Amino acid sequence: MYLHLENVRKEYDGKVAVNNLSLEVPQGVICGIIGPNGAGKTTTIRMIMNIIAPDSGRILFNGREVDDTFRNRVGYLPEERGLYKKMTLQEVITYLAKLKQYPASKIRERIDPWLERIGLVEYKQRKVEQLSKGMAQKLQFITTILHEPDIVILDELFSGLDPVNIELIKGILLEQKRAGKTILFSTHVMEQAEKLCDHLCMISHGQKVIDGKLTDVKARFGKNSLQIDIDGDGAFIGSLPGVGGMTEFNNYIEVRLADSAEPEAILRAIVDKVKVRRFEIVEPSLYDIFIEVAKVEPSELRTDGGEGSV
Amino acid sequence: MGERAVSKFLVILKREYAEVVKKKSFVIMIFLTPVLMAGFMILPAMLAGREVSVGENIAVIDRGELGIGEQFVQSLTQYKLKGTDEPAYITRGIFNISPNDEQRFRQVYDSLAQAVTDKDLKYFLVVEPAPHITDTNLYLVTNSNNFRTIARFESRLSDILSSYRLRMSEVNLPVDSVLALTERIDLTLKDTKGESIPFMVKYFAALIFVMIMYMMIITYGATLMRSVIEEKGSRIIEVLISSVTPFQLMLGKVFGLGAAAFTQVGVWVAIGVMIFLAGGSTTLELEPAVERIVFNPVIVTFFILFFVSGYVLYSTLFALIGSIVNSDKEAQHFIFPITITLIIPVMIGIAVVQDPYATWVLVLSYIPFLSPTMMLMRVIFLAPTATSYSFFSGILAEATLAFLLVVVTALLVVWITARIFRVGILMYGKRPNLPEIIRWVRY
């Protein structure tokens, strides 16, 4: 199933949440909608899900507007997670799959293998309220895909998941992709998105800033980043000639090069002042690309408002 | 709605139904409610009018010097306990005290009053001087309100005073024959069918039908509202809306919980019928009057019609409230007007039973939000006495019209609610104001 957004726009009380967004998601790809909190990701996904109506523009699946066929063929994980607390795992899974008109016999067939896979099979007859947060997240994830949807849409996919479960879910999503399913997810965690998606759409302040295949996007920006690991204070690096910007991570510094910069000159300048342990010319990360194309300050991306907690 | 849409509606309906019916409280309520209803409504009525099984103690203080006390006590000997030869009233003393002896009067009065307080004595009658001139000079001291006894006393004292007045007057007529000639009659009531349903039977029948409807609508309406609030709170609503339309979700809930309400009433009816059949004509012989109400096809039909249409109307309003609030607490002041509207007929029921034809009663019973209860009351009062039914005049025509108005209103409310519901269920945190809600309806 492929997805097509055409000049989609949504305003809330005069404030533009999503502005003329167009996007193509071909069948069988994993596409990430990437942007900081408040960029318009959730609004976009809710419009795709037909939960809210766009003020203008069109959203088509396989060339058709949302109808009951689509509702049955989509799996949706909203940003805010939640299930019926008083129902058992089996009841919840069965109910949500039945609402997708998935045959009862197939629900019975698939429920145990899936619960096994996420390690909750012995909880099958327990109530949802007895699960920990992480368990409930995994449970909700499998209710999103148990009915074999053609397209899976996941809002803030990684929120509330620990690293082990992120790997588990990534594995399942890659399997789904290999089976020809289309996957669209949103996140503000760019490092994770980079490892999962093969298409991406970056948005900032309701506007699309760049989209396309991950490899194409990266190729456009070339090898224009440095990763440097030094002993001592690296604050001076930002003001060296040829440096477009820098970000300090825990154990290394990432430097964006200005257009005609020479990495060797920069290396020389650094070696003069501090001891260099590692110096590497690398592809820019999605994070760097975002900062460059969206013309935002890095601080804007580091504000994690605890979004997407259950 | 296509075939698929209908079956999604059924999936929701079944879950909502199962969620209620599987609960222990559902089973408990089924059996507890009739017991409570009987306790609160039928029992006091039965007790108030019951025959006493032991004689009641009575005393008299007579300061009138006319022998009225003696005559009164004498006249009471005609009353026997039901089915025995035992006297219904036992005289514990007649105190003839001079009107001038205030001190002795106070003394006796206080000791008798104490006896009433201590329940050694049920009543004592005080005859002050000249009771035939000023009837407030005759009074009964008691803590009891047995209206059967009071009516007997009134009637005996009236006779005694009348005969005394006759003897005192210039008219020279034999007292006994005058009393016989002027004897009060108890008016026999017959309706146009030639039978009569006592006032109390009608009133309590109406009250029970209306109370059942009221309780079911409030209970299941509130359950529906809480279920919407819960789905909003747990955010599962977004998942649901990605699978079904808000309209399907709303109707699935309304009818799923409705099915649970009808199950509950159905069980009550089944229990009632079983008791009736098992008891047969021996143990639980229904009064013919009660039978005429409970088995009247017009009453039964309109109870079902008004119950279903009234439930849909009101529970949809509860769904509306659930969709625009974020907590039970916020919902409280929206529920209040609904509760009041539903309880009005119970409060004014006594006036309705006295004159079901009154213009204001008729007007109220055509207001769709009141019809399910008000018009049903009129049906209960009027249908059993109707000699023939017509869809063009009389109670059948009026009730049918009111029912159609309720149906039209319910459809309108469903339509408006569906439009507010689909926006409201996704509004977290902030409660919308009225202009916003109106915009949602238009949008």
Side-chain angles (χ1 to χ4, degrees):
Chain A
M1 190 178 267
Y2 66 91
L3 169 66
H4 170 83
L5 273 73
E6 195 177 295
N7 296 325
V8 173
R9 182 185 169 86
K10 181 76 191 177
E11 270 184 32
Y12 289 117
D13 299 323
K15 199 171 155 275
V16 180
V18 174
N19 193 7
N20 284 330
L21 183 70
S22 295
L23 179 65
E24 292 289 338
V25 182
Q27 182 174 338
V29 304
I30 300 183
C31 175
I33 296 181
I34 301 163
N37 293 329
K41 300 185 299 289
T42 294
T43 305
T44 304
I45 283 184
R46 283 186 176 168
M47 284 191 287
I48 292 171
M49 292 311 302
N50 196 34
I51 287 170
I52 51 178
D55 297 335
S56 62
R58 292 199 305 168
I59 296 167
L60 303 174
F61 296 91
N62 289 351
R64 292 166 61 193
E65 299 211 338
V66 170
D67 57 9
D68 235 41
T69 314
F70 165 72
R71 288 198 189 93
N72 289 344
R73 304 307 312 144
V74 69
Y76 173 50
L77 183 73
E79 179 188 357
E80 307 233 29
R81 315 283 153 80
L83 292 166
Y84 292 104
K85 293 188 184 67
K86 300 281 174 196
M87 286 172 101
T88 65
L89 272 61
Q90 182 176 22
E91 284 168 344
V92 155
I93 294 171
T94 308
Y95 178 59
L96 293 177
K98 274 187 174 173
L99 284 183
K100 298 289 189 187
Q101 303 193 302
Y102 194 66
S105 58
K106 288 184 114 181
I107 300 174
R108 278 194 298 275
E109 215 172 87
R110 289 166 62 88
I111 196 164
D112 280 357
W114 273 118
L115 283 175
E116 191 90 57
R117 181 101 189 249
I118 59 167
L120 291 179
V121 75
E122 66 271 33
Y123 289 86
K124 190 175 168 186
Q125 303 299 345
R126 302 262 193 95
K127 288 188 175 168
V128 172
E129 63 190 351
Q130 291 173 285
L131 299 182
S132 73
K133 238 185 203 177
M135 288 170 168
Q137 293 266 16
K138 288 192 285 182
L139 171 64
Q140 186 152 13
F141 176 75
I142 66 158
T143 64
T144 313
I145 54 169
L146 181 119
H147 61 286
E148 299 182 84
D150 293 330
I151 182 165
V152 185
I153 297 178
L154 313 134
D155 198 2
E156 285 299 345
L157 170 62
F158 303 112
S159 78
L161 288 173
D162 60 43
V164 175
N165 285 329
I166 287 181
E167 288 312 312
L168 174 72
I169 282 171
K170 270 188 190 165
I172 296 173
L173 287 176
L174 288 170
E175 257 176 49
Q176 298 277 314
K177 180 202 153 181
R178 281 196 288 276
K181 316 286 187 188
T182 308
I183 291 147
L184 178 70
F185 70 94
S186 81
T187 185
H188 64 281
V189 190
M190 300 197 193
E191 295 84 347
Q192 294 290 356
E194 189 162 2
K195 292 177 200 157
L196 183 61
C197 65
D198 39 29
H199 271 59
L200 62 92
C201 169
M202 285 185 169
I203 59 174
S204 171
H205 299 293
Q207 302 263 13
K208 179 172 79 181
V209 289
I210 195 165
D211 73 330
K213 274 186 166 176
L214 181 71
T215 48
D216 291 350
V217 170
K218 288 212 167 181
R220 260 163 70 188
F221 286 84
K223 295 206 171 218
N224 67 343
S225 276
L226 303 175
Q227 281 189 5
I228 307 164
D229 195 355
I230 54 167
D231 278 338
D233 184 11
F236 69 95
I237 295 174
S239 52
L240 290 174
V243 170
M246 62 168 281
T247 315
E248 284 191 66
F249 290 93
N250 265 348
N251 44 11
Y252 67 94
I253 297 170
E254 191 156 310
V255 173
R256 284 176 303 286
L257 297 174
D259 279 345
S260 53
E262 283 179 31
E264 295 79 8
I266 294 170
L267 176 59
R268 269 194 299 274
I270 298 172
V271 172
D272 281 348
K273 299 207 172 173
V274 292
K275 192 177 171 201
V276 175
R277 280 193 293 201
R278 182 164 72 94
F279 183 88
E280 195 178 346
I281 304 173
V282 293
E283 277 190 331
S285 65
L286 285 184
Y287 180 80
D288 296 321
I289 295 175
F290 186 85
I291 289 190
E292 185 154 342
V293 295
K295 313 256 180 314
V296 295
E297 290 300 312
S299 61
E300 246 182 277
L301 291 177
R302 284 289 150 191
T303 51
D304 194 334
E307 182 182 15
S309 56
V310 177
Chain B
M1 277 195 236
E3 193 197 328
R4 310 193 115 204
V6 169
S7 83
K8 283 188 182 184
F9 161 76
L10 283 178
V11 172
I12 297 167
L13 188 152
K14 279 184 198 158
R15 193 197 83 90
E16 298 291 335
Y17 180 78
E19 179 130 306
V20 170
V21 174
K22 276 196 302 191
K23 276 189 191 148
K24 280 187 208 81
S25 61
F26 179 79
V27 182
I28 295 170
M29 282 309 285
I30 278 190
F31 294 102
L32 201 62
T33 313
V35 175
L36 286 179
M37 288 261 270
F40 281 125
M41 297 167 64
I42 303 168
L43 225 58
M46 280 166 54
L47 293 178
R50 82 196 192 283
E51 295 267 355
V52 288
S53 53
V54 288
E56 297 181 292
N57 294 330
I58 178 161
V60 180
I61 305 178
D62 192 347
R63 311 174 77 195
E65 299 184 311
L66 299 172
I68 286 177
E70 297 281 355
Q71 287 176 49
F72 173 64
V73 166
Q74 187 59 39
S75 72
L76 289 181
T77 55
Q78 63 177 281
Y79 298 113
K80 304 288 182 202
L81 289 175
K82 195 180 185 181
T84 67
D85 211 26
E86 301 290 313
Y89 303 101
I90 301 153
T91 309
R92 299 290 293 273
I94 302 172
F95 303 89
N96 290 307
I97 300 171
S98 152
N100 302 321
D101 193 350
E102 195 65 33
Q103 193 192 348
R104 171 144 170 76
F105 170 66
R106 284 266 52 110
Q107 194 188 342
V108 173
Y109 184 98
D110 290 345
S111 68
L112 289 183
Q114 189 58 47
V116 170
T117 310
D118 297 343
K119 300 195 179 73
D120 292 333
L121 197 61
K122 199 80 179 266
Y123 316 93
F124 69 91
L125 181 77
V126 179
V127 186
E128 298 276 6
H132 57 293
I133 297 165
T134 316
D135 60 9
T136 50
N137 282 359
L138 202 56
Y139 56 89
L140 189 70
V141 178
T142 178
N143 288 336
S144 144
N145 275 312
N146 187 331
F147 56 75
R148 184 190 299 270
T149 292
I150 309 244
R152 283 171 174 174
F153 287 5
E154 279 171 348
S155 142
R156 294 290 65 82
L157 287 165
S158 298
D159 281 359
I160 294 165
L161 286 179
S162 300
S163 66
Y164 185 75
R165 286 178 189 134
L166 267 175
R167 256 184 253 115
M168 297 294 291
S169 70
E170 300 299 311
V171 192
N172 198 11
L173 286 170
V175 171
D176 285 349
S177 48
V178 170
L179 281 182
L181 287 171
T182 58
E183 198 183 4
R184 246 182 67 142
I185 65 153
D186 276 331
L187 196 58
T188 307
L189 294 176
K190 286 193 176 195
D191 56 41
T192 41
K193 267 188 164 171
E195 303 154 67
S196 163
I197 298 176
F199 175 84
M200 288 306 258
V201 172
K202 273 190 192 176
Y203 180 62
F204 279 107
L207 217 52
I208 287 170
F209 276 107
V210 169
M211 282 301 284
I212 288 177
M213 197 183 282
Y214 168 79
M215 275 179 22
M216 290 294 106
I217 289 178
I218 291 284
T219 309
Y220 286 92
T223 307
L224 171 56
M225 187 191 74
R226 272 198 297 276
S227 128
V228 174
I229 293 173
E230 192 211 324
E231 283 171 3
K232 272 182 86 169
S234 71
R235 305 296 197 250
I236 196 169
I237 198 98
E238 268 190 65
V239 177
L240 300 178
I241 294 306
S242 74
S243 303
V244 301
T245 64
F247 190 65
Q248 287 169 342
L249 179 62
M250 188 184 86
L251 284 194
K253 285 178 170 298
V254 167
F255 285 96
L257 291 169
F262 297 131
T263 304
Q264 191 164 347
V265 176
V267 172
W268 289 342
V269 171
I271 292 172
V273 168
M274 276 186 328
I275 291 175
F276 179 73
L277 290 179
S281 54
T282 51
T283 50
L284 197 101
E285 194 176 349
L286 281 179
E287 285 234 7
V290 176
E291 218 166 306
R292 280 180 66 198
I293 287 180
V294 176
F295 296 111
N296 185 297
V298 176
I299 292 177
V300 172
T301 307
F302 275 101
F303 175 70
I304 295 170
L305 291 181
F306 279 126
F307 188 11
V308 175
S309 59
Y311 168 77
V312 172
L313 177 61
Y314 276 100
S315 62
T316 308
L317 286 178
F318 275 105
L320 172 67
I321 296 171
S323 75
I324 60 175
V325 302
N326 295 295
S327 66
D328 279 6
K329 211 177 157 197
E330 260 182 56
Q332 285 313 314
H333 56 272
F334 287 101
I335 296 177
F336 184 66
I338 295 187
T339 319
I340 290 294
T341 315
L342 273 169
I343 203 76
I344 281 175
V346 178
M347 296 188 294
I348 60 176
I350 198 94
V352 180
V353 70
Q354 280 172 356
D355 188 3
Y357 294 105
T359 314
W360 67 272
V361 172
L362 200 60
V363 169
L364 286 185
S365 54
Y366 280 123
I367 297 174
F369 289 95
L370 296 175
S371 291
T373 41
M374 287 290 284
M375 192 54 95
L376 182 67
M377 275 193 158
R378 295 189 67 244
V379 170
I380 291 167
F381 300 153
L382 298 175
T385 65
T387 42
S388 66
Y389 296 120
S390 160
F391 278 112
F392 300 103
S393 66
I395 186 61
L396 194 58
E398 290 165 8
T400 307
L401 176 62
F403 168 67
L404 293 177
L405 287 175
V406 176
V407 170
V408 170
T409 311
L411 291 176
L412 195 70
V413 168
V414 167
W415 184 82
I416 291 173
T417 300
R419 299 183 79 82
I420 296 173
F421 191 80
R422 69 198 166 136
V423 189
I425 47 177
L426 295 167
M427 291 282 157
Y428 311 127
K430 178 174 157 289
R431 200 175 70 219
N433 55 29
L434 194 62
E436 277 176 311
I437 292 174
I438 291 168
R439 209 168 59 223
W440 296 350
V441 176
R442 292 220 193 109
Y443 155 77

